[in-house]
Every structure is written in C-alpha cells, then in structure tokens.
Amino acid sequence: MQLDLNLLVALDALLEEGSVTAAASRLHVSAPAMSRTLGRIRKATGDQILVRTGRTMTPTPRAIALRESVHDLVQQAHQLLSPDTEIDPASLTRTFILKWHDALTGAAGPALLQTTRAEAPGVRLRFLAEASSDIHDPRRGDVDLEAGSSTPATPELRHEIVGHDQLILAMRPEHPLAAGEMTLADYAAAEHITVSRRGRLRDPIDDALEAHGQSRQVVAATPTIATALQFISHHDLLAAVPEVFSRPHLEALGLHARPLPLAMPDIPIQLTWHHRYDNDPAHAWLREHARKALHRAWNANGSSLSSR
C-alpha cells in the first residue's frame, strides 16, 4: 500500500485540536477538505480516530495510543526538511581536506589549526600539497577547501577573493643587484629561478619582459617558494615571489628583497570550494576560520587583506 505521509501532518493536527474545523484552520485548508482527509485517515488506519460525542469530537483508544508517536514523527520530519543552519563546534567530529598553496599553508595553517581545535577538538585538518596534476579535485568531493591564486574555470566551484599580494624580487644580500640602481636590462641579464609545481621554466614575467623587448635566462625551477629561496641563499639567482607570504622565509634566511623593475598585476588570494558545501554549516564555520587565519597572517606580515 502506498502511504501519503501528508496524512501524518493532518492526523497530528486533528489529534492536537480535537476538531475538524480547528485542524483545518491550523493547516490553512477548508473544513470540508479536512473532513475528507479524516476519511482517508480512517481508511488507512482502520479506525474512526475521532468520533462525535454531542458537539465535540472524542479520540478513540487507538488515536490516543498514536498521538505521541505521530507528533514525534511530524516534528522529526520538520527538523529533517528544515534548513540546517546551526552547528555546535564542540560536538563536531569531521576531517577537512585542504589543498592550499605552500606559502599560505606555512603562514596561515598553524593559526587555522589552533583556532579550529580550540572550538572543535573533534576536527582534524589534512593539508595537501598542490600537485602537478589534479589528483585531488573539489568536484569529486575529495577536497573541502582550496586556497591559492587560481580562479576556478567551472561554475560548480565557488570562490571568493580574500586579499591580494604582489610580487617582489628576492636575492641574497651579496648579489650584484642587491644595491644601487637596477634597470630592466640589468634584471633581464641576471640568472633566474622560477616557482612552479609543474617545473615550468617560464611564467607571466617572461611575457611582460617580451613586451618590453627583453628576455631572461631561467636556470632552474622549483615546486615551492621555500625551496626556491633556499637555492637563492646559496647562488646569485633572482626569484619573483609574493611579498606578504614570502616575508617569513626571507627573514629566516636573511635574504634581501627589492621591487620588481617592471609592473606586474597583483596576485589574488582565493578560497575555493564546491557549491555542495554552500549551505553546510560545518563548512561555513571552516571557511570563516580560514578567512580569519589568512587575515591574521597578512596583518602579522605588514599588509592587509580586502575588507569583508
């Protein structure tokens, strides 16, 4: 037999109101319509449910026995189908997978772990390296939150810009270009190292140089900013790196930084996630903590994110 679960809502109203007219008013239907619904309930249950005694309706023993269970079922259905906007971090047990640029992980990851663990001891964070291929893809559900400079190309991925960084030129203090005037020709003539998780020896700086009739010699490529700066600390190489999130590495290695001798666009820092998580309160909680961690890292390193 096919059940009409709407009958449960009507039965709950009838049993609580003890009146066809009152139940109809509560559910915003006409009294005749509610009378027909009562007839369907009687047929489904094999019981009269409500019987007339003078001017009132009296529940049958079966109706009295069903009253509490029916009410509980209707309340559970309302909770199940209502928007889930509340979260209790203290009772949250979940592992979030984050694919973040290595500089962002190093600068903001520790603060993110500290604040999420303080509120939600049952939460764990798995930070993944940016791979050379998309072995972890938010569209497949194996990444909860990305952070980097890339704008997603597919509409099912949400993204928001939480700030901007700019490229600076990193070198060791003994480099010939560490002091004095540096022309674009001087910059192009030096030896360079790129940062590319795919090992690319060319990046947008080469396009900008060619627009000025210049080209540079790239002698190496490393997958992370931290590795590139280790190379620089031992060789007379130049690397263009994001200013804010590279500053802790520059200071730790005692490296020198100068402005680039050519204009380059600012680097957007973006959070990206699949739209399936838009209304997930736990994921929204994580996103808010990620924003705050990035803001703290930005402010600590002497810059500021876009206001929210």
Side-chain angles (χ1 to χ4, degrees), residues 84-130:
D84 186 10
T85 59
E86 300 297 327
I87 180 176
D88 177 18
S91 62
L92 181 62
T93 302
R94 186 159 165 180
T95 298
F96 291 104
I97 302 175
L98 303 96
K99 188 166 72 171
W100 286 26
H101 187 282
D102 68 287
L104 301 182
T105 301
L112 177 60
L113 179 63
Q114 180 181 13
T115 57
T116 54
R117 291 283 298 167
E119 289 188 16
V123 162
R124 298 187 299 175
L125 304 180
R126 288 183 57 201
F127 285 94
L128 305 179
E130 288 190 305

mmCIF file of all heavy atoms in Angstrom, residues 84-130:
data_model
loop_
_atom_site.group_PDB
_atom_site.id
_atom_site.type_symbol
_atom_site.label_atom_id
_atom_site.label_comp_id
_atom_site.label_asym_id
_atom_site.label_seq_id
_atom_site.Cartn_x
_atom_site.Cartn_y
_atom_site.Cartn_z
ATOM 1 N N ASP A 84 19.413 23.558 7.673
ATOM 2 C CA ASP A 84 20.319 23.246 8.772
ATOM 3 C C ASP A 84 21.317 24.388 8.903
ATOM 4 O O ASP A 84 22.289 24.470 8.151
ATOM 5 C CB ASP A 84 21.038 21.925 8.488
ATOM 6 C CG ASP A 84 21.894 21.469 9.660
ATOM 7 O OD1 ASP A 84 21.772 22.070 10.746
ATOM 8 O OD2 ASP A 84 22.695 20.534 9.481
ATOM 9 N N THR A 85 21.087 25.299 9.805
ATOM 10 C CA THR A 85 21.934 26.474 9.947
ATOM 11 C C THR A 85 22.712 26.504 11.253
ATOM 12 O O THR A 85 23.576 27.361 11.435
ATOM 13 C CB THR A 85 21.083 27.758 9.850
ATOM 14 O OG1 THR A 85 20.089 27.725 10.877
ATOM 15 C CG2 THR A 85 20.409 27.859 8.496
ATOM 16 N N GLU A 86 22.410 25.609 12.159
ATOM 17 C CA GLU A 86 23.063 25.621 13.463
ATOM 18 C C GLU A 86 24.192 24.593 13.506
ATOM 19 O O GLU A 86 24.134 23.555 12.872
ATOM 20 C CB GLU A 86 22.049 25.334 14.567
ATOM 21 C CG GLU A 86 20.904 26.340 14.649
ATOM 22 C CD GLU A 86 21.383 27.724 14.990
ATOM 23 O OE1 GLU A 86 22.375 27.841 15.748
ATOM 24 O OE2 GLU A 86 20.782 28.697 14.504
ATOM 25 N N ILE A 87 25.210 24.916 14.276
ATOM 26 C CA ILE A 87 26.322 23.984 14.451
ATOM 27 C C ILE A 87 26.861 24.137 15.865
ATOM 28 O O ILE A 87 26.940 25.246 16.397
ATOM 29 C CB ILE A 87 27.439 24.244 13.421
ATOM 30 C CG1 ILE A 87 28.596 23.249 13.621
ATOM 31 C CG2 ILE A 87 27.944 25.665 13.487
ATOM 32 C CD1 ILE A 87 29.693 23.374 12.605
ATOM 33 N N ASP A 88 27.202 23.020 16.449
ATOM 34 C CA ASP A 88 27.847 23.005 17.757
ATOM 35 C C ASP A 88 29.274 22.522 17.555
ATOM 36 O O ASP A 88 29.521 21.315 17.485
ATOM 37 C CB ASP A 88 27.095 22.078 18.719
ATOM 38 C CG ASP A 88 27.776 21.986 20.073
ATOM 39 O OD1 ASP A 88 28.609 22.869 20.376
ATOM 40 O OD2 ASP A 88 27.494 21.030 20.825
ATOM 41 N N PRO A 89 30.236 23.440 17.415
ATOM 42 C CA PRO A 89 31.616 23.012 17.135
ATOM 43 C C PRO A 89 32.160 22.037 18.168
ATOM 44 O O PRO A 89 32.938 21.144 17.827
ATOM 45 C CB PRO A 89 32.402 24.327 17.144
ATOM 46 C CG PRO A 89 31.383 25.373 16.811
ATOM 47 C CD PRO A 89 30.116 24.896 17.471
ATOM 48 N N ALA A 90 31.757 22.188 19.416
ATOM 49 C CA ALA A 90 32.302 21.329 20.466
ATOM 50 C C ALA A 90 31.967 19.862 20.236
ATOM 51 O O ALA A 90 32.707 18.974 20.670
ATOM 52 C CB ALA A 90 31.785 21.777 21.827
ATOM 53 N N SER A 91 30.861 19.586 19.547
ATOM 54 C CA SER A 91 30.476 18.200 19.292
ATOM 55 C C SER A 91 30.752 17.769 17.850
ATOM 56 O O SER A 91 30.396 16.661 17.465
ATOM 57 C CB SER A 91 28.980 18.015 19.599
ATOM 58 O OG SER A 91 28.184 18.841 18.759
ATOM 59 N N LEU A 92 31.384 18.647 17.067
ATOM 60 C CA LEU A 92 31.653 18.349 15.658
ATOM 61 C C LEU A 92 32.810 17.365 15.535
ATOM 62 O O LEU A 92 33.885 17.571 16.105
ATOM 63 C CB LEU A 92 31.982 19.647 14.910
ATOM 64 C CG LEU A 92 32.277 19.531 13.413
ATOM 65 C CD1 LEU A 92 31.075 18.981 12.658
ATOM 66 C CD2 LEU A 92 32.697 20.883 12.850
ATOM 67 N N THR A 93 32.587 16.301 14.789
ATOM 68 C CA THR A 93 33.640 15.320 14.503
ATOM 69 C C THR A 93 33.760 15.202 12.984
ATOM 70 O O THR A 93 32.880 14.651 12.324
ATOM 71 C CB THR A 93 33.309 13.948 15.104
ATOM 72 O OG1 THR A 93 33.139 14.082 16.517
ATOM 73 C CG2 THR A 93 34.429 12.953 14.821
ATOM 74 N N ARG A 94 34.843 15.736 12.438
ATOM 75 C CA ARG A 94 34.971 15.772 10.976
ATOM 76 C C ARG A 94 36.426 16.013 10.589
ATOM 77 O O ARG A 94 37.159 16.702 11.299
ATOM 78 C CB ARG A 94 34.079 16.882 10.412
ATOM 79 C CG ARG A 94 34.007 16.937 8.888
ATOM 80 C CD ARG A 94 32.751 17.669 8.493
ATOM 81 N NE ARG A 94 32.743 18.086 7.110
ATOM 82 C CZ ARG A 94 31.729 18.746 6.539
ATOM 83 N NH1 ARG A 94 30.654 19.067 7.258
ATOM 84 N NH2 ARG A 94 31.774 19.096 5.274
ATOM 85 N N THR A 95 36.834 15.434 9.482
ATOM 86 C CA THR A 95 38.153 15.680 8.915
ATOM 87 C C THR A 95 37.992 16.508 7.648
ATOM 88 O O THR A 95 37.326 16.080 6.707
ATOM 89 C CB THR A 95 38.877 14.362 8.594
ATOM 90 O OG1 THR A 95 39.074 13.612 9.799
ATOM 91 C CG2 THR A 95 40.238 14.634 7.954
ATOM 92 N N PHE A 96 38.594 17.692 7.631
ATOM 93 C CA PHE A 96 38.540 18.567 6.463
ATOM 94 C C PHE A 96 39.827 18.414 5.655
ATOM 95 O O PHE A 96 40.924 18.384 6.227
ATOM 96 C CB PHE A 96 38.374 20.025 6.877
ATOM 97 C CG PHE A 96 37.035 20.346 7.488
ATOM 98 C CD1 PHE A 96 36.906 20.521 8.856
ATOM 99 C CD2 PHE A 96 35.908 20.481 6.691
ATOM 100 C CE1 PHE A 96 35.679 20.830 9.430
ATOM 101 C CE2 PHE A 96 34.671 20.778 7.253
ATOM 102 C CZ PHE A 96 34.564 20.954 8.617
ATOM 103 N N ILE A 97 39.675 18.341 4.348
ATOM 104 C CA ILE A 97 40.821 18.208 3.450
ATOM 105 C C ILE A 97 41.035 19.547 2.755
ATOM 106 O O ILE A 97 40.135 20.070 2.098
ATOM 107 C CB ILE A 97 40.592 17.094 2.422
ATOM 108 C CG1 ILE A 97 40.343 15.761 3.140
ATOM 109 C CG2 ILE A 97 41.781 16.975 1.481
ATOM 110 C CD1 ILE A 97 39.980 14.624 2.226
ATOM 111 N N LEU A 98 42.243 20.105 2.909
ATOM 112 C CA LEU A 98 42.543 21.427 2.379
ATOM 113 C C LEU A 98 43.731 21.334 1.412
ATOM 114 O O LEU A 98 44.788 20.814 1.780
ATOM 115 C CB LEU A 98 42.866 22.407 3.507
ATOM 116 C CG LEU A 98 41.780 22.572 4.586
ATOM 117 C CD1 LEU A 98 42.071 21.661 5.780
ATOM 118 C CD2 LEU A 98 41.682 24.010 5.050
ATOM 119 N N LYS A 99 43.540 21.842 0.206
ATOM 120 C CA LYS A 99 44.625 21.920 -0.767
ATOM 121 C C LYS A 99 45.010 23.389 -0.908
ATOM 122 O O LYS A 99 44.347 24.150 -1.592
ATOM 123 C CB LYS A 99 44.212 21.326 -2.118
ATOM 124 C CG LYS A 99 45.389 21.216 -3.094
ATOM 125 C CD LYS A 99 45.078 20.325 -4.287
ATOM 126 C CE LYS A 99 44.119 20.970 -5.248
ATOM 127 N NZ LYS A 99 43.972 20.202 -6.507
ATOM 128 N N TRP A 100 46.064 23.765 -0.212
ATOM 129 C CA TRP A 100 46.489 25.160 -0.140
ATOM 130 C C TRP A 100 47.881 25.317 -0.747
ATOM 131 O O TRP A 100 48.720 24.411 -0.671
ATOM 132 C CB TRP A 100 46.534 25.641 1.307
ATOM 133 C CG TRP A 100 45.189 25.890 1.929
ATOM 134 C CD1 TRP A 100 43.996 25.321 1.592
ATOM 135 C CD2 TRP A 100 44.919 26.778 3.014
ATOM 136 N NE1 TRP A 100 42.991 25.797 2.389
ATOM 137 C CE2 TRP A 100 43.519 26.690 3.275
ATOM 138 C CE3 TRP A 100 45.688 27.626 3.780
ATOM 139 C CZ2 TRP A 100 42.904 27.429 4.286
ATOM 140 C CZ3 TRP A 100 45.091 28.357 4.783
ATOM 141 C CH2 TRP A 100 43.701 28.264 5.032
ATOM 142 N N HIS A 101 48.108 26.494 -1.319
ATOM 143 C CA HIS A 101 49.451 26.844 -1.754
ATOM 144 C C HIS A 101 50.387 26.751 -0.555
ATOM 145 O O HIS A 101 50.012 27.097 0.574
ATOM 146 C CB HIS A 101 49.454 28.260 -2.329
ATOM 147 C CG HIS A 101 50.751 28.663 -2.968
ATOM 148 N ND1 HIS A 101 51.852 29.057 -2.245
ATOM 149 C CD2 HIS A 101 51.117 28.710 -4.272
ATOM 150 C CE1 HIS A 101 52.839 29.350 -3.060
ATOM 151 N NE2 HIS A 101 52.419 29.146 -4.307
ATOM 152 N N ASP A 102 51.613 26.284 -0.794
ATOM 153 C CA ASP A 102 52.508 26.022 0.334
ATOM 154 C C ASP A 102 52.785 27.272 1.165
ATOM 155 O O ASP A 102 52.906 27.196 2.396
ATOM 156 C CB ASP A 102 53.824 25.418 -0.168
ATOM 157 C CG ASP A 102 54.650 26.405 -0.981
ATOM 158 O OD1 ASP A 102 54.259 26.688 -2.132
ATOM 159 O OD2 ASP A 102 55.682 26.889 -0.478
ATOM 160 N N ALA A 103 52.873 28.444 0.519
ATOM 161 C CA ALA A 103 53.134 29.669 1.276
ATOM 162 C C ALA A 103 51.959 30.011 2.179
ATOM 163 O O ALA A 103 52.145 30.479 3.319
ATOM 164 C CB ALA A 103 53.416 30.824 0.315
ATOM 165 N N LEU A 104 50.750 29.767 1.705
ATOM 166 C CA LEU A 104 49.574 30.042 2.521
ATOM 167 C C LEU A 104 49.475 29.059 3.679
ATOM 168 O O LEU A 104 49.093 29.436 4.795
ATOM 169 C CB LEU A 104 48.310 29.972 1.665
ATOM 170 C CG LEU A 104 48.229 30.932 0.471
ATOM 171 C CD1 LEU A 104 46.900 30.769 -0.257
ATOM 172 C CD2 LEU A 104 48.418 32.362 0.924
ATOM 173 N N THR A 105 49.804 27.797 3.409
ATOM 174 C CA THR A 105 49.786 26.800 4.486
ATOM 175 C C THR A 105 50.774 27.169 5.584
ATOM 176 O O THR A 105 50.448 27.123 6.777
ATOM 177 C CB THR A 105 50.126 25.409 3.937
ATOM 178 O OG1 THR A 105 49.170 25.041 2.936
ATOM 179 C CG2 THR A 105 50.110 24.369 5.041
ATOM 180 N N GLY A 106 51.994 27.557 5.183
ATOM 181 C CA GLY A 106 53.008 27.898 6.169
ATOM 182 C C GLY A 106 52.663 29.130 6.976
ATOM 183 O O GLY A 106 52.930 29.194 8.179
ATOM 184 N N ALA A 107 52.039 30.112 6.332
ATOM 185 C CA ALA A 107 51.761 31.370 7.008
ATOM 186 C C ALA A 107 50.480 31.334 7.830
ATOM 187 O O ALA A 107 50.426 31.912 8.917
ATOM 188 C CB ALA A 107 51.685 32.501 5.977
ATOM 189 N N ALA A 108 49.426 30.685 7.313
ATOM 190 C CA ALA A 108 48.123 30.733 7.970
ATOM 191 C C ALA A 108 47.674 29.396 8.547
ATOM 192 O O ALA A 108 46.760 29.361 9.370
ATOM 193 C CB ALA A 108 47.057 31.246 6.993
ATOM 194 N N GLY A 109 48.290 28.302 8.116
ATOM 195 C CA GLY A 109 47.873 26.982 8.574
ATOM 196 C C GLY A 109 47.957 26.776 10.074
ATOM 197 O O GLY A 109 47.007 26.270 10.691
ATOM 198 N N PRO A 110 49.070 27.145 10.724
ATOM 199 C CA PRO A 110 49.149 26.948 12.179
ATOM 200 C C PRO A 110 48.054 27.679 12.941
ATOM 201 O O PRO A 110 47.479 27.134 13.887
ATOM 202 C CB PRO A 110 50.544 27.501 12.532
ATOM 203 C CG PRO A 110 51.339 27.319 11.275
ATOM 204 C CD PRO A 110 50.365 27.583 10.156
ATOM 205 N N ALA A 111 47.754 28.917 12.544
ATOM 206 C CA ALA A 111 46.691 29.659 13.234
ATOM 207 C C ALA A 111 45.336 29.018 12.995
ATOM 208 O O ALA A 111 44.495 28.962 13.900
ATOM 209 C CB ALA A 111 46.675 31.119 12.749
ATOM 210 N N LEU A 112 45.105 28.523 11.776
ATOM 211 C CA LEU A 112 43.835 27.863 11.480
ATOM 212 C C LEU A 112 43.664 26.616 12.337
ATOM 213 O O LEU A 112 42.594 26.364 12.896
ATOM 214 C CB LEU A 112 43.774 27.499 9.995
ATOM 215 C CG LEU A 112 42.517 26.741 9.544
ATOM 216 C CD1 LEU A 112 41.263 27.551 9.810
ATOM 217 C CD2 LEU A 112 42.620 26.380 8.063
ATOM 218 N N LEU A 113 44.723 25.829 12.467
ATOM 219 C CA LEU A 113 44.650 24.622 13.292
ATOM 220 C C LEU A 113 44.389 24.974 14.749
ATOM 221 O O LEU A 113 43.573 24.337 15.422
ATOM 222 C CB LEU A 113 45.945 23.819 13.159
ATOM 223 C CG LEU A 113 46.007 22.534 13.985
ATOM 224 C CD1 LEU A 113 44.934 21.546 13.553
ATOM 225 C CD2 LEU A 113 47.394 21.891 13.866
ATOM 226 N N GLN A 114 45.061 26.011 15.233
ATOM 227 C CA GLN A 114 44.903 26.391 16.638
ATOM 228 C C GLN A 114 43.471 26.809 16.953
ATOM 229 O O GLN A 114 42.886 26.374 17.949
ATOM 230 C CB GLN A 114 45.864 27.530 16.979
ATOM 231 C CG GLN A 114 45.771 27.989 18.429
ATOM 232 C CD GLN A 114 46.724 29.135 18.736
ATOM 233 O OE1 GLN A 114 47.285 29.741 17.836
ATOM 234 N NE2 GLN A 114 46.910 29.419 20.010
ATOM 235 N N THR A 115 42.878 27.654 16.092
ATOM 236 C CA THR A 115 41.539 28.166 16.405
ATOM 237 C C THR A 115 40.457 27.110 16.188
ATOM 238 O O THR A 115 39.495 27.058 16.957
ATOM 239 C CB THR A 115 41.228 29.400 15.546
ATOM 240 O OG1 THR A 115 41.356 29.071 14.153
ATOM 241 C CG2 THR A 115 42.180 30.541 15.882
ATOM 242 N N THR A 116 40.604 26.285 15.179
ATOM 243 C CA THR A 116 39.586 25.256 14.966
ATOM 244 C C THR A 116 39.641 24.209 16.065
ATOM 245 O O THR A 116 38.602 23.749 16.539
ATOM 246 C CB THR A 116 39.754 24.585 13.588
ATOM 247 O OG1 THR A 116 41.095 24.086 13.439
ATOM 248 C CG2 THR A 116 39.455 25.556 12.463
ATOM 249 N N ARG A 117 40.844 23.844 16.493
ATOM 250 C CA ARG A 117 40.957 22.852 17.564
ATOM 251 C C ARG A 117 40.443 23.399 18.886
ATOM 252 O O ARG A 117 39.903 22.651 19.697
ATOM 253 C CB ARG A 117 42.423 22.428 17.711
ATOM 254 C CG ARG A 117 42.965 21.606 16.558
ATOM 255 C CD ARG A 117 42.489 20.189 16.607
ATOM 256 N NE ARG A 117 42.949 19.510 17.813
ATOM 257 C CZ ARG A 117 42.478 18.352 18.240
ATOM 258 N NH1 ARG A 117 41.509 17.752 17.576
ATOM 259 N NH2 ARG A 117 42.955 17.796 19.336
ATOM 260 N N ALA A 118 40.623 24.698 19.106
ATOM 261 C CA ALA A 118 40.146 25.293 20.357
ATOM 262 C C ALA A 118 38.627 25.213 20.447
ATOM 263 O O ALA A 118 38.076 24.981 21.526
ATOM 264 C CB ALA A 118 40.604 26.745 20.441
ATOM 265 N N GLU A 119 37.936 25.391 19.335
ATOM 266 C CA GLU A 119 36.477 25.330 19.341
ATOM 267 C C GLU A 119 35.943 23.928 19.108
ATOM 268 O O GLU A 119 34.882 23.579 19.622
ATOM 269 C CB GLU A 119 35.910 26.256 18.255
ATOM 270 C CG GLU A 119 36.057 27.725 18.544
ATOM 271 C CD GLU A 119 35.311 28.572 17.524
ATOM 272 O OE1 GLU A 119 34.447 28.020 16.795
ATOM 273 O OE2 GLU A 119 35.606 29.772 17.446
ATOM 274 N N ALA A 120 36.662 23.138 18.311
ATOM 275 C CA ALA A 120 36.158 21.826 17.897
ATOM 276 C C ALA A 120 37.268 20.785 18.037
ATOM 277 O O ALA A 120 37.973 20.483 17.066
ATOM 278 C CB ALA A 120 35.660 21.889 16.448
ATOM 279 N N PRO A 121 37.443 20.215 19.227
ATOM 280 C CA PRO A 121 38.515 19.231 19.437
ATOM 281 C C PRO A 121 38.383 17.998 18.550
ATOM 282 O O PRO A 121 39.371 17.294 18.337
ATOM 283 C CB PRO A 121 38.363 18.861 20.922
ATOM 284 C CG PRO A 121 37.600 19.995 21.522
ATOM 285 C CD PRO A 121 36.698 20.506 20.456
ATOM 286 N N GLY A 122 37.174 17.742 18.037
ATOM 287 C CA GLY A 122 36.981 16.563 17.194
ATOM 288 C C GLY A 122 37.282 16.793 15.729
ATOM 289 O O GLY A 122 37.141 15.872 14.912
ATOM 290 N N VAL A 123 37.719 17.995 15.374
ATOM 291 C CA VAL A 123 38.018 18.317 13.972
ATOM 292 C C VAL A 123 39.497 18.077 13.686
ATOM 293 O O VAL A 123 40.367 18.404 14.486
ATOM 294 C CB VAL A 123 37.646 19.788 13.663
ATOM 295 C CG1 VAL A 123 38.323 20.284 12.394
ATOM 296 C CG2 VAL A 123 36.138 19.916 13.524
ATOM 297 N N ARG A 124 39.763 17.491 12.504
ATOM 298 C CA ARG A 124 41.134 17.307 12.037
ATOM 299 C C ARG A 124 41.284 17.974 10.672
ATOM 300 O O ARG A 124 40.349 17.996 9.877
ATOM 301 C CB ARG A 124 41.489 15.819 11.939
ATOM 302 C CG ARG A 124 41.439 15.100 13.278
ATOM 303 C CD ARG A 124 41.945 13.683 13.177
ATOM 304 N NE ARG A 124 41.149 12.876 12.252
ATOM 305 C CZ ARG A 124 41.448 11.617 11.920
ATOM 306 N NH1 ARG A 124 42.528 11.042 12.419
ATOM 307 N NH2 ARG A 124 40.665 10.940 11.094
ATOM 308 N N LEU A 125 42.481 18.504 10.407
ATOM 309 C CA LEU A 125 42.769 19.169 9.135
ATOM 310 C C LEU A 125 43.849 18.400 8.392
ATOM 311 O O LEU A 125 44.917 18.120 8.948
ATOM 312 C CB LEU A 125 43.243 20.611 9.369
ATOM 313 C CG LEU A 125 42.320 21.532 10.177
ATOM 314 C CD1 LEU A 125 42.953 22.917 10.299
ATOM 315 C CD2 LEU A 125 40.940 21.622 9.546
ATOM 316 N N ARG A 126 43.557 18.059 7.132
ATOM 317 C CA ARG A 126 44.555 17.411 6.265
ATOM 318 C C ARG A 126 44.962 18.404 5.181
ATOM 319 O O ARG A 126 44.196 18.717 4.280
ATOM 320 C CB ARG A 126 43.982 16.151 5.603
ATOM 321 C CG ARG A 126 43.781 14.972 6.536
ATOM 322 C CD ARG A 126 43.270 13.783 5.735
ATOM 323 N NE ARG A 126 44.188 13.442 4.645
ATOM 324 C CZ ARG A 126 43.843 12.748 3.561
ATOM 325 N NH1 ARG A 126 42.594 12.354 3.398
ATOM 326 N NH2 ARG A 126 44.737 12.473 2.635
ATOM 327 N N PHE A 127 46.184 18.936 5.286
ATOM 328 C CA PHE A 127 46.697 19.859 4.279
ATOM 329 C C PHE A 127 47.415 19.059 3.194
ATOM 330 O O PHE A 127 48.326 18.276 3.478
ATOM 331 C CB PHE A 127 47.668 20.863 4.905
ATOM 332 C CG PHE A 127 46.994 21.937 5.716
ATOM 333 C CD1 PHE A 127 46.838 21.789 7.090
ATOM 334 C CD2 PHE A 127 46.515 23.084 5.108
ATOM 335 C CE1 PHE A 127 46.223 22.774 7.838
ATOM 336 C CE2 PHE A 127 45.896 24.077 5.855
ATOM 337 C CZ PHE A 127 45.754 23.921 7.228
ATOM 338 N N LEU A 128 46.992 19.255 1.954
ATOM 339 C CA LEU A 128 47.598 18.580 0.818
ATOM 340 C C LEU A 128 48.481 19.550 0.045
ATOM 341 O O LEU A 128 48.176 20.744 -0.057
ATOM 342 C CB LEU A 128 46.518 18.041 -0.130
ATOM 343 C CG LEU A 128 45.451 17.125 0.470
ATOM 344 C CD1 LEU A 128 44.466 16.714 -0.617
ATOM 345 C CD2 LEU A 128 46.090 15.897 1.114
ATOM 346 N N ALA A 129 49.560 19.025 -0.518
ATOM 347 C CA ALA A 129 50.397 19.847 -1.385
ATOM 348 C C ALA A 129 49.695 20.073 -2.711
ATOM 349 O O ALA A 129 48.874 19.263 -3.147
ATOM 350 C CB ALA A 129 51.740 19.156 -1.631
ATOM 351 N N GLU A 130 49.980 21.205 -3.342
ATOM 352 C CA GLU A 130 49.459 21.444 -4.687
ATOM 353 C C GLU A 130 50.177 20.507 -5.639
ATOM 354 O O GLU A 130 51.380 20.634 -5.868
ATOM 355 C CB GLU A 130 49.680 22.897 -5.106
ATOM 356 C CG GLU A 130 48.776 23.875 -4.390
ATOM 357 C CD GLU A 130 48.861 25.246 -5.011
ATOM 358 O OE1 GLU A 130 49.984 25.762 -5.110
ATOM 359 O OE2 GLU A 130 47.824 25.788 -5.395
#
